[in-house]
């Protein structure tokens, strides 16, 4: 099927979309992802019971780090917290 | 609930292997999205992998609210990861706009050159404009969908698209 584009920019994008349509990950990508995911500690595991005064300085540091990260990060983190919108993409 | 939603529920309940189903069903499109925004498959794989890790943590932590499908949610995560990667790249630009010179990527030479052409054509655009243009003109999303991904108004998306097109038009006049 061919399209007539008045705008050469649209025509070029259409061409590039077609030419990149079959781009895919390199072999073994899925396995690498799963290995990376498997290396992530599950929330709640590996916690060591410590007295509060052992934890307090680290907690304060962690809290400051979180505040900094929240202020510095972009939209990605908000994406993770919620899907928040009813605009559904075709898949 | 679709199959990916069911897999997400299993992951949330502790079945890490169920995440494989999510990866298998979504990785092709997500890597293609990342490659189109970033210009090469290697960088795309990096952002998609990090996107999966963040998504996995969010699922395990019960942070995914399920309002959107898992596929749509992942698409948004990866799109924003790619935009962040673009921003970082533009703060520390590389001479070749990080387009790999070799043929180590998957796929044909034609796909490799098309990704490079796309990346170089848009290399002077700010990250937000470049991403908006790829999502609209290459991925075929609507302005409403792009606004949801970029967390801005549709008007802001339209403005980015107009400016990006004007810059590309200006560039073609110069060359």
């Amino acid at each position: 099927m061919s399209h007539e584009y008045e705008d050469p920019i649209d025509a070029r994008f259409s061409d590039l979309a077609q030419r990149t349509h079959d781009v895919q990950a390199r072999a073994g990508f899925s396995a690498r992802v799963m290995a990376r995911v498997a290396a992530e500690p599950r929330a709640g595991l590996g916690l060591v019971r410590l007295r509060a005064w052992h934890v307090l300085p680290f907690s304060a540091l962690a809290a400051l780090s979180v505040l900094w990260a929240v202020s510095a990060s972009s939209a990605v983190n908000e994406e993770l917290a919620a899907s928040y919108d009813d605009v559904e993409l075709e898949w | 609930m679709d199959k990916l939603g069911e897999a997400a529920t299993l992951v949330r309940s502790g079945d890490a292997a169920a995440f494989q189903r999510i990866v298998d069903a979504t990785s092709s499109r997500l890597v293609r999205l990342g490659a189109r925004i970033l210009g090469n498959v290697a960088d795309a794989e990096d952002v998609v992998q990090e996107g999966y890790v963040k998504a996995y943590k969010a699922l395990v932590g019960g942070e995914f609210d399920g309002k959107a499908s898992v596929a749509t949610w992942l698409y948004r995560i990866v799109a924003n990861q790619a935009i962040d990667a673009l921003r970082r790249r533009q703060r520390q630009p590389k001479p070749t706009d990080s387009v790999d010179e070799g043929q180590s990527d998957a796929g044909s030479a034609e796909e490799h050159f098309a990704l490079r052409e796309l990346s170089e054509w848009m290399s002077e655009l700010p990250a937000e404009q470049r991403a908006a243009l790829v999502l609209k003109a290459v991925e075929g999303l609507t302005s409403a969908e792009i606004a949801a991904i970029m967390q801005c108004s549709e008007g802001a998306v339209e403005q980015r698209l107009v400016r990006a097109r004007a810059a590309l038009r200006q560039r073609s006049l110069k060359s």
Side-chain angles (χ1 to χ4, degrees), chain A residues 7 9-10 12-27 29-30 32-34 36-37 40 42-43 74-85 87-91, chain B residues 14 20 24 26 29 32 36 45 49-50 53-54 56-57 63 65 67-69 71-73 75-77 80-81 84 87 104 106 110-111 114 117-118 121 133 137-138 145 148-149 151 165 169:
Chain A
D7 189 338
I9 289 177
D10 287 331
R12 189 170 178 187
F13 271 122
S14 175
D15 172 60
L16 286 166
Q18 283 186 347
R19 288 163 56 202
T20 57
H21 185 267
D22 294 327
V23 166
Q24 56 186 310
R26 293 171 294 186
F29 174 68
S30 176
R32 290 196 297 277
V33 169
M34 289 309 293
R36 177 74 174 77
V37 165
E40 286 295 318
R42 271 189 66 91
S74 72
V76 174
N77 292 329
E78 291 175 38
E79 286 290 327
L80 292 171
S83 50
Y84 69 78
D85 204 295
V87 177
E88 197 70 53
L89 303 178
E90 286 184 29
W91 196 263
Chain B
Q20 176 88 55
D24 289 343
T26 57
R29 182 163 179 191
R32 185 179 69 189
R36 283 169 163 174
E45 286 181 355
Q49 178 167 300
E50 287 311 304
V53 170
K54 286 174 184 279
Y56 177 76
K57 286 179 180 175
E63 295 167 32
D65 62 12
K67 285 181 184 171
S69 73
T72 296
W73 178 58
Y75 190 96
R76 288 176 181 156
I77 290 173
N80 280 296
Q81 289 275 118
D84 276 357
R87 288 196 192 109
S104 58
E110 168 54 25
E111 289 162 5
E117 180 184 336
L118 182 62
W121 188 29
L133 206 46
V138 184
E145 289 167 339
I149 288 170
Q151 297 176 51
R165 286 173 178 279
R169 207 164 281 123

Side-chain angles (χ1 to χ4, degrees), chain B residues 148-163:
Chain B
I149 288 170
M150 301 182 84
Q151 297 176 51
C152 62
S153 67
E154 284 186 57
V157 170
E158 293 294 341
Q159 191 177 50
R160 286 171 189 170
L161 291 171
V162 166
R163 287 180 178 170

Side-chain angles (χ1 to χ4, degrees), chain B residues 27-45:
Chain B
S27 63
S28 293
R29 182 163 179 191
L30 296 179
V31 168
R32 185 179 69 189
L33 165 68
R36 283 169 163 174
I37 293 176
L38 293 168
N40 68 84
V41 172
D43 287 351
E45 286 181 355

Side-chain angles (χ1 to χ4, degrees), chain B residues 70-106:
Chain B
V70 172
T72 296
W73 178 58
L74 284 168
Y75 190 96
R76 288 176 181 156
I77 290 173
V78 169
N80 280 296
Q81 289 275 118
I83 292 167
D84 276 357
L86 264 187
R87 288 196 192 109
R88 286 195 298 273
R89 184 191 292 177
Q90 289 180 341
R91 282 197 295 268
Q92 296 173 317
K94 296 177 184 176
T96 60
D97 195 22
S98 193
V99 175
D100 50 350
E101 297 296 328
Q103 285 291 313
S104 58
D105 282 355

